[in-house]
Coordinates of all heavy atoms in Angstrom, one line a residue:
M1 N -7.7 45.6 58.2 CA -9.0 45.2 58.6 C -9.4 45.8 60.0 O -8.6 45.6 60.9 CB -9.1 43.7 58.7 CG -9.2 43.0 57.3 SD -10.7 43.3 56.5 CE -11.9 42.2 57.3
P2 N -10.5 46.4 60.1 CA -10.9 46.9 61.4 C -11.3 45.8 62.3 O -12.0 44.8 61.8 CB -12.1 47.9 61.1 CG -12.6 47.3 59.8 CD -11.5 46.7 59.1
S3 N -10.9 45.8 63.6 CA -11.3 44.7 64.4 C -12.5 45.2 65.3 O -12.4 46.1 66.1 CB -10.2 44.3 65.3 OG -9.8 45.4 66.2
G4 N -13.6 44.5 65.1 CA -14.8 44.8 65.9 C -15.2 43.6 66.7 O -14.3 42.9 67.3
K5 N -16.4 43.2 66.6 CA -16.8 42.0 67.3 C -16.3 40.8 66.5 O -16.1 40.9 65.3 CB -18.4 42.0 67.3 CG -18.9 42.9 68.4 CD -20.4 42.7 68.5 CE -21.0 43.4 69.7 NZ -22.5 43.2 69.7
T6 N -16.2 39.7 67.2 CA -15.8 38.5 66.5 C -17.0 37.8 65.9 O -18.0 37.6 66.5 CB -15.2 37.5 67.5 OG1 -14.1 38.1 68.2 CG2 -14.7 36.2 66.8
K7 N -16.9 37.7 64.6 CA -18.0 37.0 63.9 C -17.8 35.5 63.9 O -16.8 35.0 64.3 CB -18.1 37.5 62.4 CG -19.0 38.7 62.2 CD -19.4 38.7 60.7 CE -20.4 39.9 60.5 NZ -20.9 39.9 59.1
F8 N -18.9 34.9 63.5 CA -18.9 33.4 63.5 C -18.2 32.9 62.3 O -18.5 33.4 61.2 CB -20.3 32.9 63.6 CG -20.4 31.4 63.6 CD1 -20.2 30.7 64.7 CD2 -20.7 30.8 62.4 CE1 -20.2 29.3 64.6 CE2 -20.8 29.4 62.3 CZ -20.6 28.7 63.5
Y9 N -17.4 31.9 62.4 CA -16.8 31.2 61.3 C -17.3 29.8 61.2 O -17.2 29.0 62.2 CB -15.3 31.2 61.4 CG -14.7 32.7 61.4 CD1 -14.4 33.3 62.5 CD2 -14.6 33.3 60.1 CE1 -13.9 34.6 62.5 CE2 -14.1 34.6 60.1 CZ -13.8 35.3 61.3 OH -13.3 36.6 61.3
P10 N -17.7 29.3 60.0 CA -18.2 27.9 59.9 C -17.2 26.9 60.3 O -17.5 25.8 60.7 CB -18.5 27.8 58.4 CG -18.7 29.2 57.9 CD -17.8 30.1 58.8
S11 N -15.9 27.2 60.2 CA -14.8 26.3 60.5 C -14.9 25.9 62.0 O -14.4 24.9 62.4 CB -13.5 26.8 60.1 OG -13.2 28.0 60.8
W12 N -15.5 26.8 62.8 CA -15.6 26.5 64.2 C -16.4 25.2 64.5 O -16.1 24.5 65.5 CB -16.3 27.6 65.0 CG -15.5 28.9 65.0 CD1 -14.2 29.1 64.6 CD2 -16.0 30.1 65.6 NE1 -13.9 30.4 64.8 CE2 -14.9 31.0 65.4 CE3 -17.2 30.5 66.2 CZ2 -15.0 32.4 65.9 CZ3 -17.3 31.8 66.6 CH2 -16.2 32.7 66.5
M13 N -17.3 24.9 63.6 CA -18.1 23.7 63.7 C -17.3 22.4 63.7 O -17.8 21.4 64.2 CB -19.2 23.7 62.6 CG -20.2 24.8 62.7 SD -21.3 24.8 64.1 CE -20.4 25.7 65.3
E14 N -16.1 22.5 63.2 CA -15.3 21.3 63.1 C -14.3 21.2 64.3 O -13.7 20.2 64.5 CB -14.5 21.3 61.8 CG -15.4 21.0 60.6 CD -14.8 21.5 59.4 OE1 -13.6 21.5 59.2 OE2 -15.6 21.9 58.5
K15 N -14.3 22.3 65.1 CA -13.5 22.2 66.3 C -14.1 21.3 67.4 O -15.3 21.0 67.4 CB -13.4 23.6 67.0 CG -12.5 24.6 66.2 CD -12.5 25.9 67.0 CE -11.7 27.0 66.2 NZ -10.2 26.7 66.2
L16 N -13.2 20.7 68.2 CA -13.7 19.8 69.2 C -13.8 20.5 70.6 O -13.0 21.3 70.9 CB -12.7 18.6 69.4 CG -12.5 17.7 68.1 CD1 -11.4 16.7 68.4 CD2 -13.8 17.1 67.7
D17 N -14.9 20.1 71.3 CA -14.9 20.6 72.7 C -14.1 19.7 73.6 O -13.5 18.7 73.1 CB -16.4 20.7 73.1 CG -17.1 19.4 73.2 OD1 -16.4 18.3 73.2 OD2 -18.4 19.4 73.1
N18 N -14.1 19.9 74.9 CA -13.3 19.1 75.7 C -13.8 17.7 76.0 O -13.1 16.9 76.6 CB -13.1 19.8 77.1 CG -12.2 21.1 76.9 OD1 -11.3 21.2 76.0 ND2 -12.5 22.1 77.6
S19 N -15.0 17.4 75.4 CA -15.5 16.0 75.5 C -15.2 15.3 74.2 O -15.6 14.1 74.1 CB -17.0 16.0 75.8 OG -17.3 16.8 77.0
G20 N -14.5 16.0 73.3 CA -14.2 15.3 72.0 C -15.3 15.3 71.0 O -15.2 14.6 70.0
K21 N -16.3 16.2 71.2 CA -17.4 16.3 70.3 C -17.2 17.5 69.4 O -16.7 18.6 69.9 CB -18.8 16.4 71.0 CG -19.1 15.1 71.7 CD -20.6 15.1 72.2 CE -21.1 13.8 72.6 NZ -20.2 13.1 73.6
T22 N -17.6 17.5 68.2 CA -17.5 18.7 67.4 C -18.5 19.7 67.8 O -19.6 19.3 68.2 CB -17.7 18.4 65.9 OG1 -18.9 17.7 65.7 CG2 -16.5 17.5 65.3
L23 N -18.2 20.9 67.7 CA -19.1 22.0 68.1 C -20.4 21.9 67.2 O -21.5 22.1 67.7 CB -18.5 23.4 67.9 CG -17.2 23.7 68.7 CD1 -16.9 25.2 68.6 CD2 -17.3 23.2 70.1
G24 N -20.2 21.4 66.0 CA -21.3 21.3 65.0 C -22.3 20.2 65.5 O -23.5 20.2 65.0
S25 N -21.9 19.3 66.4 CA -22.8 18.3 66.8 C -23.8 18.8 67.8 O -24.8 18.1 68.1 CB -22.0 17.1 67.3 OG -21.4 17.4 68.5
W26 N -23.6 19.9 68.4 CA -24.5 20.4 69.4 C -24.9 21.8 69.3 O -25.8 22.3 69.9 CB -24.0 20.1 70.8 CG -22.7 20.6 71.1 CD1 -21.5 19.9 71.1 CD2 -22.3 22.0 71.5 NE1 -20.4 20.7 71.4 CE2 -20.9 22.0 71.7 CE3 -23.0 23.1 71.7 CZ2 -20.2 23.1 72.0 CZ3 -22.3 24.3 72.0 CH2 -20.9 24.3 72.2
C27 N -24.2 22.6 68.4 CA -24.7 24.0 68.3 C -25.1 24.3 66.8 O -24.6 23.7 65.9 CB -23.7 25.0 68.9 SG -22.4 25.5 67.9
K28 N -25.9 25.2 66.7 CA -26.4 25.6 65.4 C -26.5 27.1 65.3 O -26.4 27.8 66.3 CB -27.7 24.9 65.0 CG -28.9 25.3 65.9 CD -30.1 24.7 65.5 CE -31.3 25.2 66.3 NZ -32.6 24.6 65.9
R29 N -26.8 27.6 64.1 CA -26.9 29.0 63.9 C -28.0 29.6 64.7 O -29.1 29.1 64.8 CB -27.2 29.2 62.4 CG -26.7 30.5 61.9 CD -26.7 30.5 60.4 NE -26.8 31.9 59.9 CZ -27.9 32.4 59.3 NH1 -28.9 31.6 59.0 NH2 -28.0 33.6 59.0
D30 N -27.7 30.8 65.3 CA -28.8 31.5 66.0 C -29.3 32.5 65.0 O -28.6 33.5 64.7 CB -28.2 32.2 67.2 CG -29.4 32.8 68.1 OD1 -30.4 33.2 67.5 OD2 -29.2 33.0 69.3
T31 N -30.5 32.3 64.5 CA -31.0 33.1 63.4 C -31.3 34.6 63.8 O -31.3 35.5 63.0 CB -32.3 32.5 62.8 OG1 -33.2 32.2 63.9 CG2 -32.0 31.3 62.0
S32 N -31.4 34.8 65.1 CA -31.7 36.1 65.6 C -30.4 37.0 65.9 O -30.5 38.1 66.2 CB -32.6 36.1 66.8 OG -31.9 35.4 67.9
N33 N -29.3 36.3 66.0 CA -28.1 37.0 66.4 C -26.8 36.4 65.7 O -26.5 35.3 66.0 CB -27.9 37.0 67.9 CG -26.7 37.8 68.4 OD1 -25.9 38.3 67.6 ND2 -26.7 38.0 69.7
E34 N -26.2 37.1 64.8 CA -25.1 36.6 64.0 C -23.9 36.4 64.9 O -22.9 35.8 64.5 CB -24.8 37.4 62.8 CG -24.3 38.8 63.2 CD -23.8 39.6 61.9 OE1 -23.1 39.0 61.1 OE2 -24.2 40.8 61.8
F35 N -23.9 37.0 66.1 CA -22.7 36.9 67.0 C -22.9 35.8 68.0 O -22.2 35.7 69.0 CB -22.4 38.2 67.6 CG -22.0 39.3 66.6 CD1 -22.9 40.3 66.4 CD2 -20.8 39.2 65.9 CE1 -22.5 41.3 65.5 CE2 -20.5 40.2 65.0 CZ -21.3 41.2 64.8
A36 N -24.0 35.0 67.9 CA -24.3 34.0 68.9 C -24.6 32.7 68.2 O -24.9 32.6 67.0 CB -25.5 34.4 69.7
R37 N -24.4 31.6 69.0 CA -24.8 30.3 68.5 C -25.7 29.7 69.5 O -25.7 30.0 70.7 CB -23.6 29.4 68.3 CG -22.8 29.7 67.0 CD -23.8 29.4 65.8 NE -23.3 29.9 64.5 CZ -23.4 31.1 64.1 NH1 -24.0 32.1 64.8 NH2 -23.0 31.5 62.9
Y38 N -26.6 28.8 69.0 CA -27.6 28.2 69.8 C -27.2 26.8 70.2 O -26.9 26.0 69.3 CB -28.9 28.2 69.0 CG -30.1 27.7 69.9 CD1 -30.7 28.6 70.8 CD2 -30.6 26.4 69.8 CE1 -31.8 28.2 71.5 CE2 -31.6 26.0 70.5 CZ -32.2 26.9 71.4 OH -33.3 26.4 72.2
C39 N -27.1 26.6 71.5 CA -26.7 25.2 72.0 C -28.0 24.4 72.0 O -28.9 24.7 72.8 CB -26.1 25.3 73.4 SG -25.7 23.7 74.0
T40 N -28.0 23.3 71.2 CA -29.2 22.5 71.2 C -29.3 21.5 72.4 O -30.3 20.9 72.6 CB -29.2 21.6 69.9 OG1 -28.0 20.8 69.8 CG2 -29.3 22.5 68.7
V41 N -28.2 21.4 73.1 CA -28.2 20.6 74.3 C -28.8 21.4 75.5 O -29.7 20.8 76.2 CB -26.8 20.1 74.7 CG1 -26.7 19.3 76.0 CG2 -26.2 19.3 73.5
C42 N -28.4 22.6 75.7 CA -28.9 23.4 76.8 C -30.1 24.2 76.4 O -30.8 24.8 77.2 CB -27.8 24.4 77.3 SG -26.3 23.6 77.8
M43 N -30.4 24.2 75.1 CA -31.5 25.0 74.5 C -31.4 26.4 74.9 O -32.3 27.1 75.5 CB -32.8 24.4 74.9 CG -33.0 23.1 74.2 SD -34.7 22.4 74.5 CE -34.5 21.7 76.1
K44 N -30.2 27.0 74.7 CA -30.0 28.4 75.0 C -29.0 29.0 74.0 O -28.2 28.3 73.4 CB -29.5 28.6 76.4 CG -28.1 28.2 76.7 CD -27.7 28.6 78.1 CE -26.2 28.2 78.3 NZ -25.7 28.6 79.6
S45 N -29.0 30.3 73.9 CA -28.2 31.0 73.0 C -26.9 31.4 73.7 O -26.9 31.8 74.8 CB -28.9 32.2 72.5 OG -28.1 32.9 71.5
I46 N -25.7 31.2 73.0 CA -24.4 31.5 73.5 C -23.8 32.6 72.7 O -23.6 32.4 71.5 CB -23.5 30.3 73.5 CG1 -24.2 29.1 74.1 CG2 -22.2 30.6 74.1 CD1 -23.9 27.8 73.4
S47 N -23.5 33.7 73.4 CA -22.8 34.7 72.6 C -21.4 34.3 72.3 O -20.7 33.7 73.2 CB -22.8 36.0 73.5 OG -21.9 36.9 73.0
C48 N -20.9 34.6 71.1 CA -19.5 34.3 70.8 C -18.8 35.5 70.3 O -17.9 35.4 69.5 CB -19.4 33.1 69.9 SG -20.4 33.1 68.5
C49 N -19.2 36.7 70.8 CA -18.7 37.9 70.2 C -17.4 38.3 70.9 O -16.6 39.2 70.4 CB -19.7 39.1 70.3 SG -20.1 39.5 72.0
N50 N -17.0 37.8 72.0 CA -15.8 38.1 72.7 C -14.6 37.3 72.4 O -13.6 37.8 71.8 CB -16.0 38.1 74.2 CG -17.0 39.2 74.7 OD1 -17.0 40.3 74.1 ND2 -17.8 38.9 75.7
S51 N -14.7 36.0 72.7 CA -13.6 35.1 72.4 C -13.9 34.0 71.4 O -13.2 33.0 71.3 CB -12.9 34.6 73.7 OG -13.9 34.2 74.6
G52 N -15.0 34.2 70.7 CA -15.3 33.3 69.6 C -15.5 31.9 70.0 O -16.3 31.6 71.0
A53 N -14.9 31.0 69.3 CA -15.1 29.5 69.5 C -14.8 29.1 70.9 O -15.4 28.2 71.4 CB -14.2 28.7 68.5
Y54 N -13.9 29.8 71.5 CA -13.5 29.5 72.9 C -14.8 29.6 73.8 O -14.9 28.8 74.8 CB -12.4 30.4 73.4 CG -12.1 30.1 74.8 CD1 -11.4 28.9 75.2 CD2 -12.5 31.0 75.9 CE1 -11.1 28.7 76.5 CE2 -12.2 30.7 77.2 CZ -11.5 29.5 77.5 OH -11.2 29.2 78.8
Q55 N -15.6 30.6 73.6 CA -16.8 30.7 74.4 C -17.8 29.5 74.2 O -18.4 29.1 75.2 CB -17.5 32.0 74.0 CG -16.9 33.2 74.7 CD -17.6 34.5 74.3 OE1 -17.4 35.0 73.2 NE2 -18.5 35.0 75.1
L56 N -17.8 29.0 73.0 CA -18.6 27.8 72.8 C -18.0 26.6 73.5 O -18.7 25.8 74.1 CB -18.8 27.6 71.3 CG -19.4 28.7 70.4 CD1 -19.3 28.4 68.9 CD2 -20.9 28.9 70.8
I57 N -16.7 26.5 73.4 CA -16.0 25.3 74.0 C -16.2 25.4 75.5 O -16.5 24.3 76.1 CB -14.6 25.3 73.5 CG1 -14.5 25.0 72.1 CG2 -13.8 24.3 74.4 CD1 -13.1 25.2 71.5
S58 N -16.0 26.5 76.1 CA -16.1 26.6 77.5 C -17.6 26.4 78.0 O -17.8 25.8 79.1 CB -15.6 28.0 78.1 OG -16.3 29.0 77.6
Q59 N -18.5 26.8 77.2 CA -19.9 26.5 77.5 C -20.1 25.0 77.5 O -20.8 24.5 78.4 CB -20.8 27.2 76.4 CG -22.3 27.1 76.7 CD -22.9 25.8 76.3 OE1 -23.9 25.4 77.0 NE2 -22.5 25.2 75.3
A60 N -19.5 24.3 76.6 CA -19.7 22.8 76.5 C -19.0 22.1 77.7 O -19.3 21.0 78.0 CB -19.1 22.3 75.2
D61 N -18.1 22.9 78.3 CA -17.4 22.3 79.4 C -18.1 22.5 80.7 O -17.7 22.1 81.8 CB -16.0 22.9 79.5 CG -14.9 21.9 80.0 OD1 -15.2 20.7 79.9 OD2 -13.9 22.4 80.6
G62 N -19.2 23.3 80.7 CA -20.0 23.6 81.9 C -20.7 22.3 82.4 O -21.0 21.4 81.6
Q63 N -21.0 22.4 83.7 CA -21.6 21.2 84.3 C -23.0 20.9 83.7 O -23.4 19.8 83.4 CB -21.7 21.4 85.8 CG -21.9 20.1 86.5 CD -22.1 20.3 88.0 OE1 -22.0 21.4 88.5 NE2 -22.4 19.2 88.7
K64 N -23.7 22.0 83.5 CA -25.1 21.9 83.0 C -25.1 21.2 81.6 O -25.9 20.3 81.4 CB -25.7 23.3 82.9 CG -27.2 23.3 82.9 CD -27.8 23.0 84.3 CE -29.3 22.6 84.2 NZ -29.8 22.1 85.4
H65 N -24.2 21.7 80.8 CA -24.2 21.2 79.4 C -23.8 19.7 79.5 O -24.5 18.9 78.8 CB -23.1 21.9 78.6 CG -23.0 21.5 77.2 ND1 -23.6 22.1 76.2 CD2 -22.3 20.4 76.7 CE1 -23.3 21.5 75.0 NE2 -22.5 20.5 75.3
K66 N -22.9 19.3 80.3 CA -22.5 17.9 80.4 C -23.6 17.0 80.9 O -23.9 15.9 80.5 CB -21.3 17.7 81.3 CG -20.0 18.2 80.6 CD -18.8 18.1 81.6 CE -17.5 18.4 80.9 NZ -16.4 18.5 81.9
E67 N -24.3 17.6 81.9 CA -25.5 16.8 82.4 C -26.5 16.6 81.4 O -27.1 15.5 81.2 CB -26.1 17.6 83.6 CG -25.4 17.3 84.9 CD -25.9 18.2 86.1 OE1 -27.0 18.8 85.9 OE2 -25.2 18.3 87.1
N68 N -26.8 17.7 80.6 CA -27.8 17.6 79.6 C -27.4 16.6 78.5 O -28.2 15.8 78.0 CB -28.1 19.0 79.0 CG -28.8 19.9 79.9 OD1 -29.4 19.5 80.8 ND2 -28.7 21.2 79.6
M69 N -26.1 16.7 78.2 CA -25.6 15.8 77.1 C -25.7 14.3 77.6 O -26.1 13.5 76.8 CB -24.1 16.1 76.9 CG -23.5 15.5 75.7 SD -24.1 16.1 74.2 CE -22.9 17.2 73.7
K70 N -25.4 14.1 78.8 CA -25.5 12.7 79.4 C -27.0 12.2 79.4 O -27.2 11.1 79.0 CB -25.0 12.7 80.8 CG -24.8 11.4 81.5 CD -24.1 11.5 82.8 CE -24.0 10.2 83.5 NZ -25.3 9.7 84.0
Y71 N -27.8 13.1 79.8 CA -29.3 12.8 79.8 C -29.8 12.4 78.4 O -30.5 11.4 78.2 CB -30.0 14.0 80.3 CG -31.5 13.7 80.5 CD1 -32.0 12.9 81.6 CD2 -32.4 14.3 79.7 CE1 -33.3 12.7 81.7 CE2 -33.8 14.1 79.8 CZ -34.2 13.3 80.9 OH -35.6 13.1 81.0
M72 N -29.4 13.2 77.4 CA -29.8 12.9 76.0 C -29.2 11.6 75.6 O -29.9 10.8 74.9 CB -29.3 14.1 75.1 CG -30.1 15.3 75.2 SD -29.2 16.7 74.4 CE -29.7 16.3 72.7
H73 N -28.0 11.4 76.0 CA -27.3 10.1 75.6 C -28.0 8.9 76.2 O -28.3 7.9 75.6 CB -25.9 10.2 76.0 CG -25.1 9.0 75.5 ND1 -24.8 8.8 74.2 CD2 -24.5 7.9 76.1 CE1 -24.1 7.7 74.0 NE2 -23.9 7.1 75.2
D74 N -28.3 9.0 77.5 CA -29.0 8.0 78.2 C -30.4 7.6 77.6 O -30.7 6.5 77.4 CB -29.3 8.4 79.7 CG -28.0 8.3 80.5 OD1 -27.0 7.8 80.0 OD2 -28.0 8.7 81.6
N75 N -31.1 8.7 77.2 CA -32.4 8.5 76.6 C -32.3 7.8 75.3 O -33.1 6.9 75.0 CB -33.1 9.8 76.4 CG -33.9 10.2 77.6 OD1 -33.9 9.5 78.6 ND2 -34.5 11.4 77.6
S76 N -31.3 8.1 74.5 CA -31.2 7.5 73.2 C -30.7 6.0 73.4 O -31.1 5.2 72.6 CB -30.2 8.2 72.3 OG -28.9 8.3 72.9
Q77 N -30.0 5.7 74.4 CA -29.6 4.3 74.7 C -30.8 3.5 75.0 O -31.0 2.4 74.5 CB -28.6 4.3 75.9 CG -27.3 4.9 75.6 CD -26.3 3.9 74.9 OE1 -26.2 2.8 75.3 NE2 -25.7 4.4 73.8
K78 N -31.7 4.1 75.8 CA -32.9 3.4 76.2 C -33.8 3.1 75.0 O -34.3 2.0 74.9 CB -33.7 4.2 77.3 CG -33.2 4.0 78.7 CD -33.9 4.9 79.7 CE -33.1 5.0 80.9 NZ -33.3 6.3 81.6
R79 N -33.8 4.1 74.1 CA -34.6 3.9 73.0 C -34.1 2.8 72.1 O -34.8 2.0 71.5 CB -34.7 5.2 72.2 CG -36.2 5.8 72.1 CD -36.2 7.1 71.4 NE -35.9 8.2 72.3 CZ -35.2 9.3 72.1 NH1 -34.6 9.4 70.9 NH2 -35.0 10.2 72.9
L80 N -32.8 2.7 72.0 CA -32.1 1.7 71.2 C -32.3 0.3 71.7 O -32.6 -0.6 70.9 CB -30.6 2.0 71.1 CG -30.2 3.0 70.0 CD1 -28.7 3.3 70.1 CD2 -30.5 2.5 68.6
F81 N -32.2 0.2 73.0 CA -32.1 -1.2 73.5 C -33.4 -1.6 74.2 O -33.5 -2.7 74.7 CB -30.9 -1.3 74.5 CG -29.6 -1.1 73.8 CD1 -28.9 0.0 74.1 CD2 -29.1 -2.0 72.9 CE1 -27.7 0.3 73.4 CE2 -27.9 -1.8 72.2 CZ -27.2 -0.7 72.5
G82 N -34.4 -0.7 74.3 CA -35.6 -1.0 75.0 C -35.5 -1.0 76.5 O -34.3 -0.9 77.0
S83 N -36.5 -1.1 77.2 CA -36.4 -1.0 78.7 C -36.4 -2.4 79.3 O -36.9 -3.4 78.7 CB -37.6 -0.2 79.3 OG -38.8 -0.8 78.8
A84 N -35.7 -2.5 80.4 CA -35.6 -3.8 81.1 C -36.9 -4.2 81.7 O -37.7 -3.4 82.0 CB -34.6 -3.7 82.2
P85 N -37.2 -5.5 81.7 CA -38.5 -6.0 82.2 C -38.6 -5.8 83.7 O -37.6 -5.7 84.4 CB -38.4 -7.5 82.0 CG -37.0 -7.8 81.7 CD -36.3 -6.6 81.3
Ligands
ZN1 ZN1 -24.8 23.7 76.1

């Protein structure tokens, strides 16, 4: 097999990032680039052509991603329990 760019494998979606979340819970297919995945938390495209799933995992370990994740989580909590008087 010739080795070129690393393509995306669906099984990556079941891998866990360092926060214990599956990659599939926050990233989805980037329809414009088969070598990239779209992070729905950061709302940006992540290239995974060099080190594959590892690039997605290290992106999820970034401060910005964690902040965005926390923010989304906080918002959903507020929606669930209503706002304090
Ligand atoms: Zn992200």
Side-chain angles (χ1 to χ4, degrees):
M1 284 293 283
S3 64
K5 283 182 168 181
T6 304
K7 266 202 178 185
F8 176 81
Y9 297 98
S11 62
W12 292 355
M13 295 292 90
E14 287 155 35
K15 286 182 186 288
L16 296 177
D17 63 22
N18 292 327
S19 303
K21 293 190 164 58
T22 57
L23 302 191
S25 68
W26 53 262
C27 84
K28 64 178 186 179
R29 210 165 152 249
D30 187 334
T31 47
S32 62
N33 185 350
E34 67 174 314
F35 298 110
R37 279 300 169 275
Y38 187 78
C39 177
T40 58
V41 176
C42 303
M43 291 188 282
K44 69 172 185 180
S45 186
I46 307 142
S47 168
C48 49
C49 63
N50 293 324
S51 42
Y54 178 74
Q55 278 177 283
L56 299 172
I57 291 168
S58 63
Q59 188 279 145
D61 211 25
Q63 199 185 353
K64 200 77 193 166
H65 182 96
K66 285 178 176 170
E67 276 173 17
N68 289 341
M69 190 69 99
K70 187 172 177 290
Y71 184 73
M72 286 170 77
H73 186 70
D74 286 351
N75 272 358
S76 62
Q77 293 279 312
K78 276 174 198 152
R79 244 176 273 140
L80 274 175
F81 298 109
S83 53

